[in-house]
């Protein structure tokens, strides 16, 4: 079974440009999460989709960030316009619909390393 | 507020036992997870505790005390491939994770 995949693995852009990150969750997983890790800090939650609906977007830093999950499959995270402080590693994770018999752990992708110059 | 603390770095010798501690203060608690992350790779699930006590899984064990806001990950018979970052994460009621800063473990020959 394929794991969570993210594209691109690296992105280098200039301040003011737009970047779109993509996440493909494990097939059949209803829950999709975005996290990011900025330099020297812990991984922080950005938002949570259940299927195509935003369940929790309390971690989104500002309105320059837009996440979508049309059709409830893959998700995109767009940063427009990018700022220097947006540099970091953006992780996507997915989990199946809640199941009382399992841990409901999240399966993480390898991340997209974003560098804003 | 939410806060999770872990030691930043630890070093141990191949074949030894190491304990990585995690203390947490979070607004909600719905389980504590440990993940392993090798550089440039995805964090991978190691263990889960929701009730107090010890959970054992091969060379890895994890302990939880909810009243103390404390957990540890115990790694036995250390191998060189165990050199990685170990992330403590608390799941809150909204299902998302609050992560600690991670502990970078170096296993020396």
């Amino acid at each position: 079974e394929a794991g969570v995949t993210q594209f691109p693995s690296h992105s280098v852009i200039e301040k003011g440009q737009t970047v779109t990150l993509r996440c493909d969750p494990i097939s059949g997983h209803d829950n999709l999460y975005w996290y990011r890790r900025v330099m020297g800090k812990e991984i922080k939650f950005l938002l949570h989709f259940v299927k195509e609906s935003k369940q929790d977007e309390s971690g989104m830093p500002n309105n320059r960030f837009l996440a979508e999950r049309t059709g409830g499959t893959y998700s995109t995270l767009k940063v427009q316009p990018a700022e220097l402080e947006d540099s970091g590693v953006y992780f996507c994770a997915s989990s199946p619909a809640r199941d009382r018999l399992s841990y409901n752990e999240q399966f993480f992708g390898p991340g997209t390393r974003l560098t804003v110059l | 507020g939410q806060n999770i603390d872990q030691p930043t770095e630890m070093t141990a010798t191949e074949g030894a036992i190491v304990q990585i501690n995690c203390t947490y203060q979070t607004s909600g608690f719905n389980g504590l997870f440990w993940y392993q992350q090798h550089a440039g790779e995805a964090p991978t699930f190691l263990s889960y505790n929701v009730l107090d006590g010890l959970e054992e899984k091969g060379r890895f064990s994890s302990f939880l005390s909810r009243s103390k806001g404390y957990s540890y990950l115990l790694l036995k018979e250390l191998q060189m491939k165990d050199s990685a970052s170990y992330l403590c994460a608390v799941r809150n009621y909204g299902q998302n994770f609050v992560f600690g800063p991670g502990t970078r473990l170096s296993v020396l020959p």
Side-chain angles (χ1 to χ4, degrees):
Chain A
E1 179 182 319
V4 177
T5 57
Q6 293 187 243
F7 182 83
S9 56
H10 292 81
S11 180
V12 181
I13 61 171
E14 293 189 351
K15 176 182 169 181
Q17 289 186 320
T18 297
V19 64
T20 300
L21 314 180
R22 173 170 170 144
C23 168
D24 286 79
I26 292 173
S27 178
H29 280 193
D30 287 347
N31 295 289
L32 187 150
Y33 306 81
W34 283 99
Y35 295 85
R36 76 171 177 178
R37 183 176 212 159
V38 296
M39 183 67 74
K41 303 270 189 172
E42 68 274 17
I43 297 173
K44 283 200 169 174
F45 167 75
L46 295 178
L47 92 159
H48 170 203
F49 283 99
V50 178
K51 297 185 181 178
E52 66 275 8
S53 300
K54 290 176 186 174
Q55 178 78 11
D56 181 355
E57 52 184 329
S58 60
M60 294 288 263
N62 52 60
N63 59 10
R64 294 186 295 103
F65 289 75
L66 175 65
E68 295 180 321
R69 193 184 182 195
T70 308
T73 54
Y74 71 90
S75 174
T76 58
L77 179 65
K78 181 191 287 189
V79 186
Q80 179 182 29
E83 298 289 345
L84 299 179
E85 64 264 26
D86 301 332
S87 294
V89 182
Y90 289 75
F91 291 101
C92 176
S94 72
S95 67
R98 196 163 180 191
D99 176 0
R100 270 191 245 167
L101 299 179
S102 78
Y103 301 144
N104 290 301
E105 73 267 31
Q106 295 180 18
F107 297 83
F108 282 79
T112 293
R113 181 172 294 277
L114 174 65
T115 303
V116 183
L117 303 176
Chain B
Q2 307 199 91
N3 188 53
I4 299 181
D5 282 321
Q6 305 176 234
T8 306
E9 292 190 22
M10 296 184 73
T11 303
T13 306
E14 195 174 15
I17 298 173
V18 70
Q19 177 174 314
I20 303 175
N21 295 324
C22 170
T23 57
Y24 65 90
Q25 291 174 305
T26 56
S27 54
F29 181 86
N30 191 19
L32 188 142
F33 291 76
W34 284 94
Y35 279 78
Q36 180 191 61
Q37 186 182 22
H38 287 99
E41 297 182 8
T44 54
F45 169 75
L46 285 179
S47 71
Y48 167 71
N49 296 72
V50 68
L51 299 176
D52 289 354
L54 189 69
E55 293 286 339
E56 296 187 80
K57 238 176 146 183
R59 293 190 300 115
F60 299 123
S61 304
S62 57
F63 171 83
L64 175 68
S65 168
R66 289 172 296 170
S67 62
K68 294 181 180 176
Y70 168 69
S71 172
Y72 68 71
L73 179 70
L74 194 71
L75 293 80
K76 302 175 188 174
E77 301 168 18
L78 280 174
Q79 301 174 10
M80 299 297 288
K81 66 178 182 180
D82 297 329
S83 292
S85 287
Y86 290 85
L87 308 173
C88 174
V90 171
R91 182 171 60 192
N92 61 27
Y93 295 125
Q95 297 299 305
N96 58 280
F97 285 173
V98 179
F99 280 93
T103 298
R104 185 177 300 177
L105 174 66
S106 298
V107 180
L108 305 177

